[in-house]
Amino acid sequence: TEHQHVRYNPLRDDWVLVSAHRVKRPWQGQLEKPPPEDVPRWDPKNPLCPGATRANGEVNPKYEGTFVFPNDFPALQPDAPEPDDNDHPLFRAAPARGVCKVMCFHPWSDLTLPLMSLPEIRAVIDAWAELAKELGASYPWVQIFENKGAVMGCSNPHPHCQVWASSFLPNEASLEDRSQRQHLSQHGVPMLLEYAEQEARRKERLVVENADWLVVVPYWATWPYETLLLPRRHVCRLQDLNDSEKDSLASIMQRLLIKYDNLFEVSFPYSMGWHGAPTGSYLEEDCRHWQLHAHYYPPLLRSATVRKFMVGYEMLAQAQRDLTPEQAAERLRSLPEVHYKKRAE
């Protein structure tokens, strides 16, 4: 716990430097502003609110549950032209097409997932599965992701996520596809299914668990309080979950996110996303090497105002973390599962 060492990440086939003693160093660097506590429940100027007018002039319906609409500033479009031919192998380009959608979780801007009810979180999971199936019928990759908090680049204080479907496998998907395929070939079992079984038995990096799911700070975690959400049975895609597993997923997500908020008693920022087997033409292929999982990447390190920066050595050499995954898991595991805002109720 006190001496530096490197740990292997089998999903990405790379290494992370663990330097736990560095968390003791004094900090006089940048301090983040805590998220505002006075977010209005409804704001006509917030383009994600029911009845608000968005940048393209469209007016949102007065929705009461989840609401999905096309991103007004999409990074991918379905009708993008072919790039110009290349005259040298060092100057390669390829077509990139797709669609980008936004999903609002709830009509109230002052709520986040850990403060929503279990039926409301279950409705979000259902909408995720529906979009994954719908877009996955045409596109090989459907990336569901949530950027929570201004420190993670979220531009609107409203509970929501994004869904980008692409005509290609992105870098992280390609890495995980190759690594998981190789592991199944060599060991005869899906990598993350075996990993979940190991972590459930060892328990030193376990944060929360139930009959269908477990959350761990992965052995190879990069971010200080990074977690990995894993199903206990072999599941390739989000749309393959049964009703019971969706219910228990809502429960374990709520428990994890309450712990995150309780860590520094602040609405905890993170980027999260689902990774599952590719879709589109891959639906006809053997994807048994894949195991569904969700990554949570929170940036905060010491407090609500001190974050981990991925700069310098991280950019130019390899990832480095300032406390061990075991220390992070123990701290998260010990936190209460009643949200700090509700303790006085």
Side-chain angles (χ1 to χ4, degrees), residues 110-155:
D110 58 343
L111 282 188
T112 55
L113 279 170
L115 293 169
M116 288 167 52
S117 70
L118 288 177
E120 289 168 339
I121 299 173
R122 168 64 196 267
V124 170
I125 294 167
D126 286 338
W128 281 344
E130 290 168 10
L131 271 178
K133 183 177 181 180
E134 173 194 334
L135 296 174
S138 304
Y139 291 100
W141 191 254
V142 180
Q143 184 59 67
I144 298 168
F145 65 97
E146 178 192 6
N147 294 325
K148 180 171 178 273
V151 71
M152 297 308 295
C154 181
S155 57

Side-chain angles (χ1 to χ4, degrees), residues 62-212:
K62 295 185 177 180
Y63 64 91
E64 297 181 350
T66 59
F67 169 52
V68 179
F69 62 93
N71 194 313
D72 296 329
F73 302 96
L76 293 163
Q77 296 176 322
D79 54 357
E82 294 276 340
D84 293 336
D85 290 336
N86 303 299
D87 60 0
H88 193 281
L90 293 178
F91 301 91
R92 296 168 61 190
R97 301 184 179 93
V99 296
C100 299
K101 294 182 180 288
V102 176
M103 179 198 297
C104 295
F105 297 154
H106 195 281
W108 295 356
S109 293
D110 58 343
L111 282 188
T112 55
L113 279 170
L115 293 169
M116 288 167 52
S117 70
L118 288 177
E120 289 168 339
I121 299 173
R122 168 64 196 267
V124 170
I125 294 167
D126 286 338
W128 281 344
E130 290 168 10
L131 271 178
K133 183 177 181 180
E134 173 194 334
L135 296 174
S138 304
Y139 291 100
W141 191 254
V142 180
Q143 184 59 67
I144 298 168
F145 65 97
E146 178 192 6
N147 294 325
K148 180 171 178 273
V151 71
M152 297 308 295
C154 181
S155 57
N156 292 296
H158 192 92
H160 72 285
C161 73
Q162 298 188 55
V163 184
W164 294 10
S166 61
S167 61
F168 55 91
L169 283 190
N171 293 342
E172 294 297 312
S174 295
L175 274 173
E176 291 194 2
D177 183 70
R178 183 169 66 248
S179 296
Q180 290 180 97
R181 187 184 299 275
Q182 184 177 12
H183 187 92
L184 181 65
S185 174
Q186 292 178 349
H187 301 282
V189 61
M191 176 195 295
L192 290 181
L193 183 63
E194 181 178 10
Y195 179 68
E197 292 170 350
Q198 286 287 324
E199 290 287 32
R201 180 173 60 82
R202 296 169 186 257
K203 297 192 180 303
E204 59 188 328
R205 285 169 295 274
L206 191 66
V207 178
V208 287
E209 63 178 330
N210 61 25
D212 300 313

Side-chain angles (χ1 to χ4, degrees), residues 10 17 54 56 94 103 135-136 168 189 200 225 238 242 275 282 290 318 328:
L17 172 61
R54 303 204 307 274
N56 63 356
M103 179 198 297
L135 296 174
F168 55 91
V189 61
Y225 292 97
L238 197 61
N242 60 42
H275 283 174
Y282 290 88
W290 268 92
Q318 68 181 32

Side-chain angles (χ1 to χ4, degrees), residues 8-67:
Y8 180 62
N9 181 344
L11 261 183
R12 303 191 76 257
D13 188 26
D14 64 9
W15 294 80
V16 57
L17 172 61
V18 181
S19 310
H21 57 283
R22 276 173 53 84
V23 79
K24 298 175 182 177
R25 73 192 193 280
W27 181 261
Q28 293 181 324
Q30 178 175 315
L31 298 178
E32 306 298 331
K33 291 182 179 180
E37 295 284 347
D38 57 348
V39 175
R41 181 155 290 184
W42 184 83
D43 182 355
K45 297 179 182 178
N46 187 330
L48 300 184
C49 283
T53 302
R54 303 204 307 274
N56 63 356
E58 291 191 23
V59 177
N60 295 334
K62 295 185 177 180
Y63 64 91
E64 297 181 350
T66 59
F67 169 52

